[in-house]
Amino acid sequence: AMFKTDPVRPDAYREFERPLPEWFRGAALGIFVHWGPYSVPAWAEPTGELGAVPREEWYAHNPYAEWYANTMRIEGSPAQMHHERVHGGAPYDDFLDAWKAEDFDADEVLAVVAATGAGYFIPTTKHHDGVTLWDAPGTDGRNTVARGPRQDLIGAFADATRAAGLRFGVYYSGGLDWHFSGLPPIEHDDDPAPDDLAYAEYAHDHVIDLIDRYRPDILWGDIRWPVAGIEPGPKSLAHAFQTFYERVPDGVVNDRWGESHWDFRTSEYVHGTAVEVGEAWENTRGIGLSFGHNRNETNEHLLSAHEAVRLLVDVVSRGGNLLLNIGLEASGRIPELQRQTLEGIGVWNRHYGHAVVGARPEGRMPASDEPWIRWTRTDDAVHAVVDQTGPVRLPDPDRVLDESTARIGERHVTAERVDGGILVDVEDAVTPVAISFRTRD
Ligand SMILES: C[C@@H]1N[C@H](CN)[C@@H](O)[C@H](O)[C@@H]1O
């Protein structure tokens, strides 16, 4: 199957197992960027969220605008008709040359990213179309240094990320490379993906180059790793992981490297129950229905700041991180609607980030969402995040709270114990509101 399998750990990869570093576990929020030649057409049908669209409709009506090179090749698809009508059926690589990134300023992007309160930033370095955003070995000029932006975009992002004080990760599409593999368009989940040794060594050399040049803290693989590269060997995945952990001892890798190894599991849009357990997992999604910028998305398709904050709090309350994606415009600008959501998250985190950064789950998940409450715990407090103002009755969580210590941000608030819970009068302009308590024990 093409999509990631539930990774198992062959013996050759057991040596890489390690405790999850606190810098990742406690980060709460990461920001993803998908940016590539697909950002020039920036066109997909806003069909629906992954998981809500029937699989048989997904590929011909793909809401992922970064899949344009595949969707445009599916006979009779709306994307193919759009490509004929608007782009005259031109070769996909014309978009690489048309991609100018004329307004791109990595420090400006990272200023918006850092203002969200995120702890790490991950740009795509090679997506499924095979175009690399740095002068990767073996790409024969099909990269953003030789063509289009004529810039090492990964180097620019790495420097700006470090200057902003965030951890830096690299996304690399190991499982799909439509240029290298030359396969027909994907129309079903189990369509073939490149598995041969030539591709495995090509991709290995890319990952080694990324490690050597940018010292990423996170290797975020996608789909899986070519099967021929899993077996131990001079250019095997095991060699790439060994190189990574030698250069970056507190680095982490995600769970989309085939049947090999992972430091944290990932879910995408859908909250996979097998993945979202414990505290070593991350949920990723676009701000809208797509990772690549899609000009057809409007407000109705995008998470508002309020919805994004509820998702962040929910994910952190259950032990995970949220990796929220920005689809940059070809110019390098952040789409205005996405920027508004990002700025709203930053406002919330400046009020209540203490309830999610470094936080762990506290007790069991509430049975119902009426009212919506999420509990987290940090070293010095338990936090109840509620999405309403006025009198709120909090059921007792597992620990006994000292209601006399209740506060909202820095402000002390009165709270009284009533039958089976604590009554708090919640007033704040910014919702959801985190009410913090010390515990009796
Ligand atoms: C983060 C997302 N991962 C999926 C594969 N599950 C990709 O197909 C998609 O384009 C995006 O990169």
Side-chain angles (χ1 to χ4, degrees):
M2 181 193 73
F3 269 83
K4 72 182 176 80
T5 52
D6 264 347
V8 294
R9 299 176 198 258
D11 292 346
Y13 289 81
R14 286 196 175 286
E15 67 178 283
F16 301 117
E17 289 180 40
R18 69 217 23 246
L20 189 71
E22 181 53 25
W23 73 261
F24 181 80
R25 193 212 60 78
L29 177 64
I31 300 291
F32 226 168
V33 152
H34 278 60
W35 200 26
Y38 46 79
S39 310
V40 174
W43 195 97
E45 295 170 82
T47 318
E49 284 192 8
L50 177 68
V53 178
R55 292 311 294 169
E56 60 274 11
E57 288 173 32
W58 178 262
Y59 293 100
H61 304 279
N62 205 325
Y64 282 1
E66 70 279 10
W67 272 68
Y68 189 88
N70 190 71
T71 322
M72 75 179 225
R73 290 186 292 150
I74 294 177
E75 272 316 306
S77 72
Q80 184 175 71
M81 289 186 272
H82 169 81
H83 188 67
E84 297 292 334
R85 184 164 46 81
V86 175
H87 301 291
Y92 177 78
D93 280 10
D94 285 10
F95 292 129
L96 172 52
D97 295 317
W99 177 20
K100 295 304 177 203
E102 66 276 13
D103 295 332
F104 177 56
D105 177 326
D107 290 315
E108 278 182 16
V109 174
L110 266 296
V112 173
V113 169
T116 64
Y120 55 94
F121 173 74
I122 306 178
T124 49
T125 65
K126 186 200 87 173
H127 202 260
H128 308 337
D129 61 12
V131 171
T132 62
L133 278 62
W134 88 104
D135 51 346
T139 50
D140 189 24
R142 195 166 176 268
N143 62 60
T144 61
V145 174
R147 293 168 63 177
R150 292 191 185 283
Q151 191 177 351
D152 171 6
L153 300 174
I154 302 308
F157 276 134
D159 294 346
T161 304
R162 266 60 194 249
L166 277 71
R167 293 278 184 149
F168 178 65
V170 289
Y171 164 106
Y172 185 83
S173 171
L176 285 177
D177 188 319
W178 297 320
H179 178 75
F180 192 99
S181 63
L183 290 166
I186 292 169
E187 299 194 57
H188 309 287
D189 285 345
D190 53 6
D191 281 352
D195 270 330
D196 56 291
L197 188 59
Y199 175 62
E201 296 190 342
Y202 171 80
H204 161 275
D205 292 351
H206 282 185
V207 173
I208 296 294
D209 201 48
L210 286 166
I211 295 165
D212 285 346
R213 293 174 64 166
Y214 309 112
R215 286 284 187 284
D217 302 291
I218 304 168
L219 292 185
W220 212 98
D222 207 357
I223 310 289
R224 62 179 192 157
W225 193 252
V227 173
I230 298 288
E231 307 306 312
K235 293 200 168 189
S236 69
L237 181 60
H239 175 255
F241 283 163
Q242 189 178 8
T243 306
F244 177 58
Y245 289 120
E246 273 167 15
R247 302 275 198 297
V248 189
D250 67 346
V252 290
V253 309
N254 73 339
D255 66 343
R256 303 187 181 190
W257 298 88
E259 302 199 350
S260 58
H261 158 72
W262 77 92
D263 293 302
F264 65 96
R265 298 297 312 266
T266 55
S267 57
E268 185 170 319
Y269 281 91
V270 180
H271 294 292
T273 47
V275 167
E276 297 186 355
V277 290
E279 296 187 21
W281 60 273
E282 177 193 69
N283 175 247
T284 190
R285 60 161 291 159
I287 292 176
L289 309 175
S290 174
F291 287 90
H293 177 225
N294 178 8
R295 65 181 72 248
N296 297 321
E297 288 189 345
T298 60
N299 252 327
E300 65 178 294
H301 302 115
L302 268 65
L303 290 176
S304 64
H306 190 260
E307 288 167 332
V309 167
R310 277 186 56 147
L311 175 60
L312 171 64
V313 172
D314 173 61
V315 163
V316 170
S317 76
R318 293 185 291 112
N321 288 350
L322 173 63
L323 179 62
L324 193 60
N325 178 83
I326 302 171
L328 281 185
E329 295 174 356
S331 65
R333 300 179 59 76
I334 297 173
E336 190 46 40
L337 291 178
Q338 296 189 28
R339 176 193 284 269
Q340 287 165 16
T341 296
L342 295 164
E343 283 169 357
I345 294 168
V347 168
W348 190 84
N349 263 328
R350 280 188 286 285
H351 276 74
Y352 296 118
H354 57 272
V356 295
V357 176
R360 297 183 128 75
E362 166 61 32
R364 65 202 174 292
M365 274 290 285
S368 87
D369 273 351
E370 297 308 327
W372 185 88
I373 301 174
R374 292 295 184 271
W375 294 91
T376 67
R377 169 170 56 84
T378 49
D379 293 347
D380 59 350
V382 166
H383 311 277
V385 185
V386 300
D387 198 5
Q388 62 189 86
T389 55
V392 176
R393 198 173 72 78
L394 299 171
D396 259 320
D398 291 356
R399 276 163 222 267
V400 179
L401 303 179
D402 178 347
E403 66 277 8
S404 72
T405 64
R407 71 182 198 287
I408 292 177
E410 295 309 310
R411 182 162 42 92
H412 187 87
V413 293
T414 54
E416 57 176 315
R417 196 162 276 288
V418 296
D419 59 310
I422 297 175
L423 191 63
V424 185
D425 199 16
V426 177
E427 288 310 322
D428 197 324
V430 175
T431 57
V433 180
I435 309 159
S436 306
F437 299 86
R438 293 202 182 295
T439 57
R440 288 204 186 288
D441 54 16

